[in-house]
Amino acid sequence: MWVDLKAISVREASCLKGTVSIQGSKNTVLPIIAASLLADGVSVIYNCPHIDDVEAMCELLNCLNVETKLVNNVLTIDTSNARYACLPEKLTCKLRSSVLLLGAMLAKWGHAGLGMPGGCAIGMRPIDIHLDGLRLMNVNIDCEEGMLCCSSKGLKGCDYTLRFPSVGATENLLIAASGIGEITILRGAAKEPEVIELCKYLMSMGACIEGIGTEVLIIKGTANLKSVSYTNVYDRIVAGTYLLLATAVCSEVRLTGINDISYLKNIIGVCVKLGACIIKINDSIRIASDGLVKAGSFSTGIYPDFPTDLQPVLASVLMKAYGESVITETVFEKRFSIVNELLKLGAAICVDKNKIIINGKKEIHGHTVKATDLRQGAALVVAGVMAKGYTTITDISFIERGYEDIVRDIASLGADIAYA
Ligand code: UD1
């Protein structure tokens, strides 16, 4: 049996002070890597984070004889010798975004065989919205022994209404539609910044997309997409993690690399509601907090609402707020794994249907806790900075899927944190 022996040890910080440069976005770069398969030649992606999910995505491209190289946060993807192959489940199960290669492979080769996608265990995470859209684009889909076998006698444009604005399904269909010389209309599309950035990337490759940032996307694709260079945006979830952390303790923190603050609007709104003071200076954000967190009611939602990925981090922060707080989770039906771990720290927290109810306490105590998914793991690190004494977070490979180096970042703010 495989065991993750890596852990993080962290002690309560009385105050945090310093600057963190925010890494490039994971959820933006993964679909962009998938879309690069459609170009012939060398694509270059700047500000690409060094994280396990990027490595896993590159490994999948390597199976297709695509060369990838990630040096100093610059990723080059050379598709000159790309060759069709089935993508085995032992690789696709490493990340959810492996499913985005379906749209790219179908547009490029007219067929695609790949194992089922993996990703964080935060709910059922079906892919019916992806597959229904692809069927409308004239794709036949069979599922045999955990493998998706898809083929088409020629992808066609379609007019498809997504039953829910799934980020991944919007991205998959955008990629497929951009790589064919047809017109596709996606209604009820996701409006997340990651979708907007993917649209910009596909446009720079040669696709024509109208309605970017709205729920109706009209895509006129081409089979001759060209390879381009792209500078990845900052990771709004990583930035949000550190903004929430800084809100929870006495702090004066600066985050740099924030080139488009609008992507953080709702996260900043929540930090201000909790009691933090935030200002923007050029491409950085300054946050100051006295660490006295205010209780309240919060809800996750599709963009521009508060992101579900930060729900566990918010739950950690609310342990310190006097009075009762409630977080309503509206996106993933089983995203509550933070609760059992925070109980170990002495939090008064429970789940009721799709709500997390937290009764803030003055003191929570360090303990050994277990990361079970990426964002819950990061939330436990935040909780560790808040809890009296030492906290050890085990199974941190989950965190390494999306955070370049959470220990480096939080240590640079003066916290006593290290790999154990
Ligand atoms: C992406 C993000 C993830 C984020 C989520 C919501 C990546 C790699 N991951 O995940 O961090 O939490 O968006 O912002 O970008 N659903 C279906 N059928 C489908 C697809 C989705 O029922 O075919 C449901 C899901 O189970 C979930 C909801 O729709 O309840 C949202 O999922 P979706 O927006 O697709 O999230 P992901 O793209 O998987």
Side-chain angles (χ1 to χ4, degrees), residues 42-66:
V42 183
S43 307
V44 183
I45 299 164
Y46 298 97
N47 199 27
C48 177
H50 271 273
I51 50 173
D52 288 356
D53 272 17
V54 165
E55 263 180 38
M57 199 68 174
C58 288
E59 235 182 303
L60 286 162
L61 284 187
N62 299 156
C63 292
L64 304 171
N65 213 34
V66 173

PDB file of all heavy atoms in Angstrom, residues 42-66:
ATOM      1  N   VAL A  42       5.375  24.844 -31.236  1.00  0.00           N
ATOM      2  CA  VAL A  42       5.776  25.045 -29.834  1.00  0.00           C
ATOM      3  C   VAL A  42       4.951  26.156 -29.181  1.00  0.00           C
ATOM      4  O   VAL A  42       4.999  27.305 -29.603  1.00  0.00           O
ATOM      5  CB  VAL A  42       7.287  25.401 -29.744  1.00  0.00           C
ATOM      6  CG1 VAL A  42       7.725  25.549 -28.280  1.00  0.00           C
ATOM      7  CG2 VAL A  42       8.130  24.330 -30.434  1.00  0.00           C
ATOM      8  N   SER A  43       4.216  25.812 -28.145  1.00  0.00           N
ATOM      9  CA  SER A  43       3.491  26.805 -27.344  1.00  0.00           C
ATOM     10  C   SER A  43       4.332  27.092 -26.100  1.00  0.00           C
ATOM     11  O   SER A  43       4.982  26.181 -25.564  1.00  0.00           O
ATOM     12  CB  SER A  43       2.137  26.262 -26.898  1.00  0.00           C
ATOM     13  OG  SER A  43       1.406  25.793 -28.003  1.00  0.00           O
ATOM     14  N   VAL A  44       4.292  28.344 -25.655  1.00  0.00           N
ATOM     15  CA  VAL A  44       5.083  28.712 -24.468  1.00  0.00           C
ATOM     16  C   VAL A  44       4.149  29.353 -23.442  1.00  0.00           C
ATOM     17  O   VAL A  44       3.422  30.301 -23.761  1.00  0.00           O
ATOM     18  CB  VAL A  44       6.213  29.710 -24.829  1.00  0.00           C
ATOM     19  CG1 VAL A  44       7.069  30.022 -23.607  1.00  0.00           C
ATOM     20  CG2 VAL A  44       7.081  29.158 -25.953  1.00  0.00           C
ATOM     21  N   ILE A  45       4.177  28.830 -22.234  1.00  0.00           N
ATOM     22  CA  ILE A  45       3.296  29.362 -21.187  1.00  0.00           C
ATOM     23  C   ILE A  45       4.162  29.881 -20.038  1.00  0.00           C
ATOM     24  O   ILE A  45       4.877  29.107 -19.386  1.00  0.00           O
ATOM     25  CB  ILE A  45       2.315  28.284 -20.686  1.00  0.00           C
ATOM     26  CG1 ILE A  45       1.454  27.832 -21.870  1.00  0.00           C
ATOM     27  CG2 ILE A  45       1.439  28.811 -19.556  1.00  0.00           C
ATOM     28  CD1 ILE A  45       0.736  26.557 -21.660  1.00  0.00           C
ATOM     29  N   TYR A  46       4.107  31.194 -19.837  1.00  0.00           N
ATOM     30  CA  TYR A  46       4.863  31.814 -18.756  1.00  0.00           C
ATOM     31  C   TYR A  46       4.035  31.786 -17.470  1.00  0.00           C
ATOM     32  O   TYR A  46       2.809  31.688 -17.512  1.00  0.00           O
ATOM     33  CB  TYR A  46       5.207  33.272 -19.112  1.00  0.00           C
ATOM     34  CG  TYR A  46       6.090  33.365 -20.345  1.00  0.00           C
ATOM     35  CD1 TYR A  46       5.534  33.620 -21.603  1.00  0.00           C
ATOM     36  CD2 TYR A  46       7.467  33.160 -20.250  1.00  0.00           C
ATOM     37  CE1 TYR A  46       6.331  33.684 -22.733  1.00  0.00           C
ATOM     38  CE2 TYR A  46       8.269  33.222 -21.381  1.00  0.00           C
ATOM     39  CZ  TYR A  46       7.697  33.479 -22.624  1.00  0.00           C
ATOM     40  OH  TYR A  46       8.485  33.531 -23.743  1.00  0.00           O
ATOM     41  N   ASN A  47       4.716  31.915 -16.340  1.00  0.00           N
ATOM     42  CA  ASN A  47       4.054  31.927 -15.025  1.00  0.00           C
ATOM     43  C   ASN A  47       3.253  30.639 -14.785  1.00  0.00           C
ATOM     44  O   ASN A  47       2.168  30.659 -14.212  1.00  0.00           O
ATOM     45  CB  ASN A  47       3.147  33.164 -14.885  1.00  0.00           C
ATOM     46  CG  ASN A  47       2.831  33.466 -13.428  1.00  0.00           C
ATOM     47  OD1 ASN A  47       3.615  33.135 -12.536  1.00  0.00           O
ATOM     48  ND2 ASN A  47       1.697  34.082 -13.173  1.00  0.00           N
ATOM     49  N   CYS A  48       3.830  29.533 -15.242  1.00  0.00           N
ATOM     50  CA  CYS A  48       3.188  28.228 -15.033  1.00  0.00           C
ATOM     51  C   CYS A  48       3.640  27.692 -13.669  1.00  0.00           C
ATOM     52  O   CYS A  48       4.838  27.611 -13.402  1.00  0.00           O
ATOM     53  CB  CYS A  48       3.607  27.264 -16.142  1.00  0.00           C
ATOM     54  SG  CYS A  48       2.947  25.616 -15.912  1.00  0.00           S
ATOM     55  N   PRO A  49       2.721  27.339 -12.782  1.00  0.00           N
ATOM     56  CA  PRO A  49       3.152  26.882 -11.460  1.00  0.00           C
ATOM     57  C   PRO A  49       3.837  25.511 -11.507  1.00  0.00           C
ATOM     58  O   PRO A  49       3.451  24.654 -12.303  1.00  0.00           O
ATOM     59  CB  PRO A  49       1.841  26.815 -10.665  1.00  0.00           C
ATOM     60  CG  PRO A  49       0.779  26.620 -11.700  1.00  0.00           C
ATOM     61  CD  PRO A  49       1.262  27.328 -12.935  1.00  0.00           C
ATOM     62  N   HIS A  50       4.845  25.326 -10.640  1.00  0.00           N
ATOM     63  CA  HIS A  50       5.495  24.008 -10.477  1.00  0.00           C
ATOM     64  C   HIS A  50       4.678  23.224  -9.469  1.00  0.00           C
ATOM     65  O   HIS A  50       4.934  23.279  -8.276  1.00  0.00           O
ATOM     66  CB  HIS A  50       6.908  24.196  -9.901  1.00  0.00           C
ATOM     67  CG  HIS A  50       7.956  24.382 -10.928  1.00  0.00           C
ATOM     68  ND1 HIS A  50       8.611  23.332 -11.518  1.00  0.00           N
ATOM     69  CD2 HIS A  50       8.473  25.499 -11.453  1.00  0.00           C
ATOM     70  CE1 HIS A  50       9.486  23.811 -12.384  1.00  0.00           C
ATOM     71  NE2 HIS A  50       9.424  25.120 -12.374  1.00  0.00           N
ATOM     72  N   ILE A  51       3.670  22.515  -9.915  1.00  0.00           N
ATOM     73  CA  ILE A  51       2.803  21.755  -9.005  1.00  0.00           C
ATOM     74  C   ILE A  51       2.562  20.372  -9.602  1.00  0.00           C
ATOM     75  O   ILE A  51       2.752  20.158 -10.798  1.00  0.00           O
ATOM     76  CB  ILE A  51       1.444  22.477  -8.790  1.00  0.00           C
ATOM     77  CG1 ILE A  51       0.814  22.871 -10.124  1.00  0.00           C
ATOM     78  CG2 ILE A  51       1.582  23.683  -7.873  1.00  0.00           C
ATOM     79  CD1 ILE A  51      -0.585  23.442 -10.038  1.00  0.00           C
ATOM     80  N   ASP A  52       2.116  19.459  -8.753  1.00  0.00           N
ATOM     81  CA  ASP A  52       1.962  18.069  -9.201  1.00  0.00           C
ATOM     82  C   ASP A  52       0.929  17.926 -10.312  1.00  0.00           C
ATOM     83  O   ASP A  52       1.076  17.092 -11.207  1.00  0.00           O
ATOM     84  CB  ASP A  52       1.589  17.169  -8.013  1.00  0.00           C
ATOM     85  CG  ASP A  52       2.779  16.978  -7.070  1.00  0.00           C
ATOM     86  OD1 ASP A  52       3.875  17.485  -7.396  1.00  0.00           O
ATOM     87  OD2 ASP A  52       2.609  16.338  -6.029  1.00  0.00           O
ATOM     88  N   ASP A  53      -0.153  18.729 -10.269  1.00  0.00           N
ATOM     89  CA  ASP A  53      -1.176  18.597 -11.316  1.00  0.00           C
ATOM     90  C   ASP A  53      -0.646  18.996 -12.696  1.00  0.00           C
ATOM     91  O   ASP A  53      -1.049  18.425 -13.711  1.00  0.00           O
ATOM     92  CB  ASP A  53      -2.422  19.434 -10.975  1.00  0.00           C
ATOM     93  CG  ASP A  53      -3.417  18.637 -10.134  1.00  0.00           C
ATOM     94  OD1 ASP A  53      -3.007  17.598  -9.570  1.00  0.00           O
ATOM     95  OD2 ASP A  53      -4.595  19.043 -10.041  1.00  0.00           O
ATOM     96  N   VAL A  54       0.253  19.975 -12.741  1.00  0.00           N
ATOM     97  CA  VAL A  54       0.854  20.361 -14.029  1.00  0.00           C
ATOM     98  C   VAL A  54       1.743  19.223 -14.520  1.00  0.00           C
ATOM     99  O   VAL A  54       1.707  18.837 -15.692  1.00  0.00           O
ATOM    100  CB  VAL A  54       1.647  21.686 -13.893  1.00  0.00           C
ATOM    101  CG1 VAL A  54       2.560  21.899 -15.100  1.00  0.00           C
ATOM    102  CG2 VAL A  54       0.682  22.858 -13.752  1.00  0.00           C
ATOM    103  N   GLU A  55       2.506  18.623 -13.595  1.00  0.00           N
ATOM    104  CA  GLU A  55       3.357  17.480 -13.989  1.00  0.00           C
ATOM    105  C   GLU A  55       2.504  16.339 -14.534  1.00  0.00           C
ATOM    106  O   GLU A  55       2.843  15.720 -15.545  1.00  0.00           O
ATOM    107  CB  GLU A  55       4.125  16.973 -12.768  1.00  0.00           C
ATOM    108  CG  GLU A  55       5.522  17.545 -12.708  1.00  0.00           C
ATOM    109  CD  GLU A  55       6.282  17.035 -11.499  1.00  0.00           C
ATOM    110  OE1 GLU A  55       6.141  15.860 -11.126  1.00  0.00           O
ATOM    111  OE2 GLU A  55       7.024  17.861 -10.937  1.00  0.00           O
ATOM    112  N   ALA A  56       1.370  16.089 -13.873  1.00  0.00           N
ATOM    113  CA  ALA A  56       0.500  14.988 -14.310  1.00  0.00           C
ATOM    114  C   ALA A  56      -0.094  15.277 -15.690  1.00  0.00           C
ATOM    115  O   ALA A  56      -0.208  14.383 -16.533  1.00  0.00           O
ATOM    116  CB  ALA A  56      -0.609  14.769 -13.284  1.00  0.00           C
ATOM    117  N   MET A  57      -0.457  16.537 -15.924  1.00  0.00           N
ATOM    118  CA  MET A  57      -1.035  16.914 -17.228  1.00  0.00           C
ATOM    119  C   MET A  57       0.035  16.756 -18.320  1.00  0.00           C
ATOM    120  O   MET A  57      -0.256  16.281 -19.421  1.00  0.00           O
ATOM    121  CB  MET A  57      -1.528  18.364 -17.146  1.00  0.00           C
ATOM    122  CG  MET A  57      -2.505  18.733 -18.204  1.00  0.00           C
ATOM    123  SD  MET A  57      -4.076  17.856 -17.995  1.00  0.00           S
ATOM    124  CE  MET A  57      -5.029  18.637 -19.261  1.00  0.00           C
ATOM    125  N   CYS A  58       1.266  17.143 -17.996  1.00  0.00           N
ATOM    126  CA  CYS A  58       2.358  17.013 -18.979  1.00  0.00           C
ATOM    127  C   CYS A  58       2.632  15.540 -19.271  1.00  0.00           C
ATOM    128  O   CYS A  58       2.882  15.161 -20.419  1.00  0.00           O
ATOM    129  CB  CYS A  58       3.624  17.699 -18.457  1.00  0.00           C
ATOM    130  SG  CYS A  58       3.469  19.497 -18.475  1.00  0.00           S
ATOM    131  N   GLU A  59       2.555  14.713 -18.233  1.00  0.00           N
ATOM    132  CA  GLU A  59       2.767  13.272 -18.418  1.00  0.00           C
ATOM    133  C   GLU A  59       1.741  12.706 -19.416  1.00  0.00           C
ATOM    134  O   GLU A  59       2.061  11.865 -20.251  1.00  0.00           O
ATOM    135  CB  GLU A  59       2.562  12.577 -17.066  1.00  0.00           C
ATOM    136  CG  GLU A  59       3.732  11.720 -16.611  1.00  0.00           C
ATOM    137  CD  GLU A  59       3.398  11.054 -15.279  1.00  0.00           C
ATOM    138  OE1 GLU A  59       3.081  11.772 -14.305  1.00  0.00           O
ATOM    139  OE2 GLU A  59       3.433   9.829 -15.224  1.00  0.00           O
ATOM    140  N   LEU A  60       0.511  13.202 -19.318  1.00  0.00           N
ATOM    141  CA  LEU A  60      -0.528  12.758 -20.254  1.00  0.00           C
ATOM    142  C   LEU A  60      -0.175  13.186 -21.681  1.00  0.00           C
ATOM    143  O   LEU A  60      -0.311  12.409 -22.632  1.00  0.00           O
ATOM    144  CB  LEU A  60      -1.886  13.330 -19.851  1.00  0.00           C
ATOM    145  CG  LEU A  60      -2.528  12.664 -18.627  1.00  0.00           C
ATOM    146  CD1 LEU A  60      -3.610  13.539 -18.026  1.00  0.00           C
ATOM    147  CD2 LEU A  60      -3.108  11.298 -19.017  1.00  0.00           C
ATOM    148  N   LEU A  61       0.289  14.430 -21.832  1.00  0.00           N
ATOM    149  CA  LEU A  61       0.685  14.891 -23.182  1.00  0.00           C
ATOM    150  C   LEU A  61       1.863  14.078 -23.700  1.00  0.00           C
ATOM    151  O   LEU A  61       1.945  13.776 -24.899  1.00  0.00           O
ATOM    152  CB  LEU A  61       1.050  16.379 -23.150  1.00  0.00           C
ATOM    153  CG  LEU A  61      -0.101  17.377 -23.084  1.00  0.00           C
ATOM    154  CD1 LEU A  61       0.420  18.799 -23.240  1.00  0.00           C
ATOM    155  CD2 LEU A  61      -1.159  17.123 -24.144  1.00  0.00           C
ATOM    156  N   ASN A  62       2.783  13.704 -22.797  1.00  0.00           N
ATOM    157  CA  ASN A  62       3.934  12.906 -23.215  1.00  0.00           C
ATOM    158  C   ASN A  62       3.485  11.576 -23.815  1.00  0.00           C
ATOM    159  O   ASN A  62       4.114  11.057 -24.747  1.00  0.00           O
ATOM    160  CB  ASN A  62       4.886  12.646 -22.036  1.00  0.00           C
ATOM    161  CG  ASN A  62       5.467  13.919 -21.440  1.00  0.00           C
ATOM    162  OD1 ASN A  62       5.870  13.939 -20.280  1.00  0.00           O
ATOM    163  ND2 ASN A  62       5.496  15.003 -22.207  1.00  0.00           N
ATOM    164  N   CYS A  63       2.380  11.021 -23.305  1.00  0.00           N
ATOM    165  CA  CYS A  63       1.831   9.768 -23.877  1.00  0.00           C
ATOM    166  C   CYS A  63       1.423   9.968 -25.332  1.00  0.00           C
ATOM    167  O   CYS A  63       1.309   9.016 -26.092  1.00  0.00           O
ATOM    168  CB  CYS A  63       0.575   9.328 -23.139  1.00  0.00           C
ATOM    169  SG  CYS A  63       0.857   8.805 -21.498  1.00  0.00           S
ATOM    170  N   LEU A  64       1.121  11.221 -25.693  1.00  0.00           N
ATOM    171  CA  LEU A  64       0.697  11.538 -27.068  1.00  0.00           C
ATOM    172  C   LEU A  64       1.890  12.010 -27.904  1.00  0.00           C
ATOM    173  O   LEU A  64       1.718  12.655 -28.939  1.00  0.00           O
ATOM    174  CB  LEU A  64      -0.398  12.615 -27.042  1.00  0.00           C
ATOM    175  CG  LEU A  64      -1.634  12.264 -26.198  1.00  0.00           C
ATOM    176  CD1 LEU A  64      -2.557  13.469 -26.067  1.00  0.00           C
ATOM    177  CD2 LEU A  64      -2.386  11.079 -26.815  1.00  0.00           C
ATOM    178  N   ASN A  65       3.095  11.702 -27.384  1.00  0.00           N
ATOM    179  CA  ASN A  65       4.340  12.080 -28.058  1.00  0.00           C
ATOM    180  C   ASN A  65       4.512  13.600 -28.167  1.00  0.00           C
ATOM    181  O   ASN A  65       5.160  14.102 -29.087  1.00  0.00           O
ATOM    182  CB  ASN A  65       4.413  11.443 -29.452  1.00  0.00           C
ATOM    183  CG  ASN A  65       5.847  11.105 -29.822  1.00  0.00           C
ATOM    184  OD1 ASN A  65       6.638  10.744 -28.943  1.00  0.00           O
ATOM    185  ND2 ASN A  65       6.194  11.251 -31.085  1.00  0.00           N
ATOM    186  N   VAL A  66       3.927  14.299 -27.248  1.00  0.00           N
ATOM    187  CA  VAL A  66       4.109  15.758 -27.166  1.00  0.00           C
ATOM    188  C   VAL A  66       5.225  16.005 -26.159  1.00  0.00           C
ATOM    189  O   VAL A  66       5.217  15.437 -25.060  1.00  0.00           O
ATOM    190  CB  VAL A  66       2.797  16.438 -26.689  1.00  0.00           C
ATOM    191  CG1 VAL A  66       3.020  17.920 -26.426  1.00  0.00           C
ATOM    192  CG2 VAL A  66       1.698  16.215 -27.712  1.00  0.00           C
TER     193      VAL A  66
END
